[in-house]
Amino acid sequence: MKNQSKHLIIGASGQIGSVLTTSLRHLHGASAVVASDIKKPSQELLAQGPFEPIDATDYDQIFSIVKRHNIDTVYLMAAMLSANAEKRPEKAWDLNMTSLFHVLNLAKLGHIKQVFWPSSIAVFGPSTPKVNVPQHTIMEPSTVYGISKLAGERWCDYYHKTYNVDVRSLRFPGLISWQSMPGGGTTDYAVDIFHKAIANASYECFLSEDTALPMMYMDDAIRAILELMNAKIDNIKIRSSYNLSAMSFTPKALYESIVKYHPSFKIKYRPDFRQAIADSWPNSIDDSFAQKDWGWSPKFDLDALVKDMFKHL
Ligand code: SER
C-alpha cells in the first residue's frame, strides 16, 4: 500500500474515471480513494467506497471534499468531449478550464500534492503533421475541445514552472473499454461498434471507413496514468502533456477484426459532423518522450484489444 496517500477522482462516473477509481481502490484500498461526480454514481461505484457529489466548477465544493477526506492527489477527469463541445462551446470552455484552475490552485496553495489531468490528441489540428506526430510540433487545434486542452496544457506547464505544482498529464488517443461507455467524443464509434456486434445488430458508423485515428485500450491507459503518477519527479521532464501511443486503426480495420468473431455483423458508413473533427486529428503519434522519461510501453494491439473486449462483454 502506498504511504497512506488519499486520492480524489473528479469525474468518477465517466469512461476513464470509473475504471481508474476501481484500479486505485484495488491498489490503495477503498477508503483511500474518494470518487466524485456531478452525475449520480452507478450502484457498483457506490458500493465500492466513498462517493461525493461534486460540481467541478465549484471551488468551495472541491476544497471542502479535499479537506474533509485529507486528499493529497486529485485526478481531474471531468470534461466535455469533442463532439459535445462543438454543440456547447462556451459551456465546454467553462467546464474544462474552470475545473482545471480550481485543482491547479489547490495545488499551488499547498492543499494537495499531486494532480493528474488528461489532455488529448485533440490538441493537434489540420496543420499538424498527420503521421507519427512528434511531442513538439505545430499545434493549431480547430475544435473547442482541442483549444481547451491546449490551453490547459499551457497552464499546467505554467503552474509547474511558476508555482512548482506537481501536475502530470497525458495526451490520450481514443480509448476503448468494456467497463464503461464514452460520451460525446469523436472516437466513441470504436466502443459503440462492439455493443452493436454483441447485440447482433448492424452498426451505422459516423466516420468514414478509412479514417485512421490513434487508439488505446483502457488497460493500457490506466497503467499509463499509474506509471506516470508513480514515476520519480526528476524523470518527468514534460509538464504540459506527454504524447502517448498504442495503435492506430480505421473503422474498416476494426470492423474486419470484429467480424471474425461475429461473421454476420454488418456495418454502414454515414459520416456526420464528427468526420470533420476526426479529419483535423493526426493518424498516429510518436511517444518517444514517454518511453524515454518514464518507460512507457503499450501492451495491447488491435487483435489483443478485440479479443479482450469480447472476453469481457
Ligand atoms: N476521445 C476524445 C474525443 O473523441 C478525444 O480525446 O473527444
Side-chain angles (χ1 to χ4, degrees), residues 15 81-83 119-122 145 172-175 184-188 281:
Q15 189 195 9
L81 293 187
S82 58
S119 185
S120 162
I121 54 163
Y145 177 64
F172 280 124
L175 296 180
T186 300
T187 55
D188 295 15
W281 291 349

Side-chain angles (χ1 to χ4, degrees), residues 101 104 151-165 167 239-240:
F101 273 118
L104 289 176
E153 286 192 7
R154 299 323 311 154
W155 280 113
C156 288
D157 194 59
Y158 183 88
Y159 268 68
H160 175 70
K161 287 206 174 83
T162 313
Y163 309 119
N164 206 22
V165 165
V167 54
R239 293 297 186 154
S240 51

Side-chain angles (χ1 to χ4, degrees), residues 84-309:
N84 280 351
E86 290 307 300
K87 296 179 191 151
R88 302 169 75 194
E90 288 180 34
K91 177 90 190 142
W93 176 260
D94 182 41
L95 170 61
N96 296 1
M97 300 313 296
T98 307
S99 57
L100 178 59
F101 273 118
H102 290 341
V103 174
L104 289 176
N105 283 329
L106 284 171
K108 172 188 162 184
L109 297 171
H111 298 300
I112 53 175
K113 292 199 189 102
Q114 229 191 358
V115 175
F116 177 80
W117 177 77
S119 185
S120 162
I121 54 163
V123 293
F124 303 117
S127 53
T128 304
K130 281 273 168 216
V131 177
N132 283 333
V133 174
Q135 178 70 39
H136 304 290
T137 185
I138 303 170
M139 297 169 89
E140 297 181 319
S142 55
T143 64
V144 173
Y145 177 64
I147 294 168
S148 75
K149 287 294 179 186
L150 179 56
E153 286 192 7
R154 299 323 311 154
W155 280 113
C156 288
D157 194 59
Y158 183 88
Y159 268 68
H160 175 70
K161 287 206 174 83
T162 313
Y163 309 119
N164 206 22
V165 165
D166 187 5
V167 54
R168 305 181 183 201
S169 177
L170 300 168
R171 289 175 182 154
F172 280 124
L175 296 180
I176 293 133
S177 52
W178 55 267
Q179 303 94 324
S180 55
M181 295 298 286
T186 300
T187 55
D188 295 15
Y189 90 84
V191 180
D192 298 343
I193 190 172
F194 282 95
H195 291 271
K196 288 286 190 288
I198 56 165
N200 280 324
S202 61
Y203 183 60
E204 192 173 288
C205 185
F206 56 77
L207 297 182
S208 68
E209 61 179 352
D210 53 1
T211 308
L213 287 171
M215 297 280 185
M216 179 175 281
Y217 199 41
M218 187 60 84
D219 290 42
D220 274 339
I222 298 296
R223 191 166 52 77
I225 297 175
L226 301 178
E227 288 179 6
L228 177 73
M229 293 301 272
N230 282 323
K232 284 206 196 88
I233 197 155
D234 292 343
N235 292 351
I236 308 298
K237 310 275 190 230
I238 289 175
R239 293 297 186 154
S240 51
S241 191
Y242 277 97
N243 274 10
L244 194 71
S245 174
M247 67 188 100
S248 289
F249 57 73
T250 60
K252 184 164 184 254
L254 180 57
Y255 169 74
E256 281 166 1
S257 297
I258 288 175
V259 91
K260 288 182 201 155
Y261 293 79
H262 291 268
S264 60
F265 183 49
K266 296 272 181 293
I267 190 164
K268 262 193 262 161
Y269 300 94
R270 191 160 299 168
D272 65 14
F273 73 101
R274 288 167 281 194
Q275 184 67 45
I277 301 176
D279 288 342
S280 78
W281 291 349
N283 302 149
S284 58
I285 302 287
D286 175 344
D287 63 2
S288 45
F289 280 77
Q291 295 174 33
K292 183 164 58 73
D293 289 359
W294 46 276
W296 168 246
S297 168
K299 292 202 172 130
F300 285 82
D301 61 10
L302 178 57
D303 284 343
L305 172 157
V306 171
K307 192 171 170 202
D308 208 63
M309 283 293 282

